[in-house]
Amino acid sequence: MVMGELEQQTELLVIGNGPGGYAAAFRAADLGLDVTMVDPFPRPGGVCLFTGCIPSKTLLFLAELIHDAARSGDMGVSFGIPRIDLDAVRRWKAKVIRSMSSGLLSLSKQRSVQVLKGRAIFEDSKTVRLEDSEVRRIRFKHAVVAVGSEPIPYPGVPFKAGGRIMSSTGALALADIPKSLLIIGGGYVGLELGTVYSALGSKVTVVELADILLPGVDRDLVEPLKRRLDTIFEGIRLKTKVVGLKEDDEGVDVVLEGDVEKTDHRFDRVLVAIGRKPSTEGLGLEETQVKTDNKGFIIIDDQQRTADPLIFAVGDAVGGMMLAHKASREGKVAAEVIAGQPSAFDVRAIPAIIYTDPQIAWCGLTEEQAREKNIEIKILRFPWKFSGRAHTMGAAEGLTKILVNRDTGRIAGVGIVGRETEGLISEGSFAIEMGALAEDMALSIHPHPTLSETEGEAAELYLGSSTHIMSKKSV
Ligand SMILES: Cc1cc2nc3c(=O)[nH]c(=O)nc-3n(C[C@H](O)[C@H](O)[C@H](O)COP(=O)(O)OP(=O)(O)OC[C@H]3O[C@@H](n4cnc5c(N)ncnc54)[C@H](O)[C@@H]3O)c2cc1C
């Protein structure tokens, strides 16, 4: 493999350098394969690093600081009204991204993974041609497709760069702080970005077609968040549809249709957060044996194999939970299978976190899924009003719940709403992966005072007695 050649050969071609792609590339290189990774963006990181997880969490951290400063007034410490220097915020965000992407680039170099700029299009099952690249064509022994996903626009209104009708990418660019922002879609992306903009000072309204926010997440976890969002957002309109959307230089005209009325509104900006679709269009998959479903997601088996024996696929492009850590695990599995190892994507629990205020995190089975699958579960709830640590933080509205399989006594799911759930949920994932009994979690000593005690005490309820909560013998 020589740089600058118009045609190259590689053992493994990874298409897309997001968390699925670079995890596959790095694992394959560690296993001794000769790897080339190609992406129109010259630096590894993908959506997650440049326009997803990292920029959103950088801004959400600032939102948390702003909210905490406002809240601490009740605890006797007051700060002034925050002064926001948007240029400095953008610089901080760019610095975070730059340092992460430099790290990934140097890890690629250390592993001798060739990082190429270009858009790959399959010519056949062993060849891609590259657009916008110094290399014209690459022949490979195996390929991993990790092309990710992209935001779905409102029907008939494509996203325009710099437009007032924004995708999550546009919203994260933080062009200004709009006085009023409408968010179409009450999923996690909309609610996280709504949290950012409301902390910065925008009046945020959310419209959601369903009669609930965050469909698919257990209601008792969503309720404390909904109560909080009702206080920081201008409005949350459920069972409401956007039936008109038109942008001009100064703002966006929106027509909303609820149960009864149809109303006209005007907002400074609109964020369309109605979901994402796989970036598989125009990839030339029809020149291979790879099969997709009716939404364009690549169909794979539990070893990340597509219907084409030489081509594997991972990450958002294969659907399921569209999360970075799921993509990374799949990337590693693909690399290991290609290197001849008996690997499979056989996880029991993929944790998910919504970084709102409060945060929601869960893993394993949800109550809704247990009902759908007719799995008999015992639900153990530990409200945070019984947690000393939660009180020290002014976070007593939280809740930890554990779902235990009635047949086996094993932990089947964990759901938490409250502060810093991001740090708590991994105990649940670990327990589920290990096949832990509720008793195992109950008898593991959790340090005091910590929020992790809420997991230990929820599990104690299974044994019929938890120190800080009076419970019936059987819940
Ligand atoms: C606002 C937002 C916040 C998010 N927050 C979180 C979070 O907190 N935690 C979490 O786990 N997930 C989060 N996600 C989801 C996460 O970003 C994705 O699940 C993850 O990036 C998927 O990784 P991937 O490797 O499949 O693809 P991506 O990260 O989407 O990367 C795909 C790459 O493929 C490239 N590509 C596309 N077509 C081609 C082609 N033809 N040739 C070559 N390259 C191509 C693209 O340029 C891109 O770089 C968030 C997403 C958004 C939008």
Side-chain angles (χ1 to χ4, degrees):
M1 180 176 66
V2 182
M3 278 297 292
E5 284 175 354
L6 280 178
E7 298 214 352
Q8 291 190 0
Q9 301 212 350
T10 184
E11 255 180 317
L12 176 62
L13 176 67
V14 177
I15 303 173
N17 64 19
Y22 75 73
F26 290 1
R27 184 75 184 116
D30 289 347
L31 291 169
L33 295 183
D34 156 45
V35 184
T36 295
M37 187 160 62
V38 63
D39 195 298
F41 291 97
R43 282 170 162 250
V47 166
C48 182
L49 178 52
F50 295 102
T51 55
C53 328
I54 297 300
S56 62
K57 269 76 244 182
T58 306
L59 299 179
L60 277 155
F61 180 73
L62 296 180
E64 196 179 332
L65 288 179
I66 293 169
H67 286 144
D68 281 351
R71 254 191 298 245
S72 69
D74 294 342
M75 302 172 185
V77 179
S78 297
F79 298 88
I81 294 169
R83 281 201 314 273
I84 291 158
D85 175 347
L86 213 49
D87 282 336
V89 172
R90 284 190 290 255
R91 277 200 300 277
W92 168 243
K93 176 168 64 81
K95 190 176 167 194
V96 172
I97 294 172
R98 206 167 38 248
S99 91
M100 300 279 304
S101 69
S102 303
L104 288 173
L105 205 53
S106 90
L107 285 169
S108 307
K109 282 193 187 128
Q110 285 163 26
R111 288 177 155 103
S112 303
V113 170
Q114 182 187 207
V115 177
L116 268 186
K117 180 182 174 309
R119 176 172 297 279
I121 299 164
F122 283 98
E123 290 188 332
D124 58 42
S125 294
K126 291 178 180 165
T127 321
V128 295
R129 76 168 185 279
L130 297 188
E131 284 182 352
D132 300 325
S133 177
E134 61 187 27
V135 175
R136 188 188 299 156
R137 184 168 282 108
I138 301 182
R139 291 179 68 76
F140 55 83
K141 284 194 180 145
H142 285 105
V144 172
V145 180
V147 293
S149 64
E150 53 204 75
I152 298 174
Y154 180 83
V157 187
F159 295 118
K160 283 190 297 192
R164 290 184 170 273
I165 299 173
M166 309 177 291
S167 66
S168 54
T169 306
L172 286 166
L174 222 56
D176 56 18
I177 302 174
K179 282 203 177 66
S180 59
L181 171 69
L182 174 73
I183 298 179
I184 308 178
Y188 88 90
V189 170
L191 299 187
E192 285 189 354
L193 290 172
T195 300
V196 168
Y197 273 91
S198 83
L200 294 177
S202 298
K203 288 187 171 167
V204 173
T205 303
V206 175
V207 288
E208 164 61 50
L209 207 52
D211 57 354
I212 46 173
L213 291 177
L214 297 169
V217 182
D218 282 345
R219 294 300 87 203
D220 53 354
L221 301 180
V222 178
E223 270 161 28
L225 172 63
K226 169 78 167 51
R227 279 198 297 276
R228 170 79 177 136
L229 293 180
D230 280 336
T231 69
I232 63 172
F233 287 177
E234 184 72 3
I236 297 176
R237 300 193 46 175
L238 302 173
K239 289 201 272 183
T240 303
K241 197 170 160 186
V242 174
V243 291
L245 193 63
K246 196 164 187 309
E247 163 174 8
D248 57 43
D249 288 348
E250 321 264 285
V252 187
D253 289 318
V254 182
V255 187
L256 299 180
E257 193 173 65
D259 268 352
V260 278
E261 86 281 44
K262 205 175 201 182
T263 46
D264 294 331
H265 303 261
R266 191 163 167 83
F267 293 91
D268 286 343
R269 286 182 178 272
V270 172
L271 162 61
V272 180
I274 55 176
R276 297 179 67 84
K277 58 179 179 180
S279 303
T280 48
E281 229 179 274
L283 187 58
L285 290 177
E286 59 286 355
E287 306 301 329
T288 70
Q289 297 174 50
V290 174
K291 298 266 176 296
T292 55
D293 68 12
N294 58 3
K295 290 187 173 154
F297 290 107
I298 297 173
I299 298 169
I300 44 143
D301 67 10
D302 66 353
Q303 292 195 304
Q304 310 302 134
R305 291 177 193 277
T306 67
D308 191 310
L310 301 181
I311 302 173
F312 290 64
V314 304
D316 282 9
V318 305
M321 288 176 89
M322 288 160 90
L323 293 170
H325 38 281
K326 187 267 256 174
S328 301
R329 172 57 68 83
E330 290 179 337
K332 288 177 196 165
V333 169
E336 287 165 5
V337 173
I338 291 166
Q341 296 195 348
S343 196
F345 188 82
D346 57 357
V347 300
R348 292 177 174 170
I350 302 173
I353 302 161
I354 302 172
Y355 290 73
T356 38
D357 168 27
Q359 294 183 345
I360 297 179
W362 71 96
C363 64
L365 213 58
T366 64
E367 270 188 72
E368 205 175 302
Q369 288 166 345
R371 265 193 304 277
E372 277 166 16
K373 295 180 181 170
N374 273 328
I375 300 174
E376 285 285 309
I377 48 161
K378 209 167 186 180
I379 302 168
L380 311 156
R381 289 191 176 82
F382 187 87
W384 287 18
K385 64 182 176 193
F386 301 116
S387 154
R389 184 60 176 139
H391 279 282
T392 66
M393 299 167 137
E397 79 290 350
L399 170 74
T400 296
K401 72 169 179 183
I402 295 181
L403 279 58
V404 181
N405 186 308
R406 278 189 188 269
D407 289 337
T408 62
R410 292 184 197 283
I411 295 173
V414 175
I416 315 176
V417 56
R419 255 193 105 95
E420 298 175 12
T421 66
E422 63 183 274
L424 301 175
I425 197 62
S426 294
E427 177 174 349
S429 309
F430 187 59
I432 295 168
E433 285 297 336
M434 295 297 292
L437 301 171
E439 201 172 347
D440 294 320
M441 194 181 268
L443 297 183
S444 302
I445 294 183
H446 292 78
H448 177 73
T450 61
L451 295 172
S452 72
E453 287 171 292
T454 65
E455 291 176 279
E457 290 224 34
E460 275 183 14
L461 286 167
Y462 187 76
L463 307 181
S465 156
S466 140
T467 310
H468 292 96
I469 190 170
M470 281 304 295
S471 62
K472 291 185 224 140
K473 183 90 181 141
S474 172
V475 180

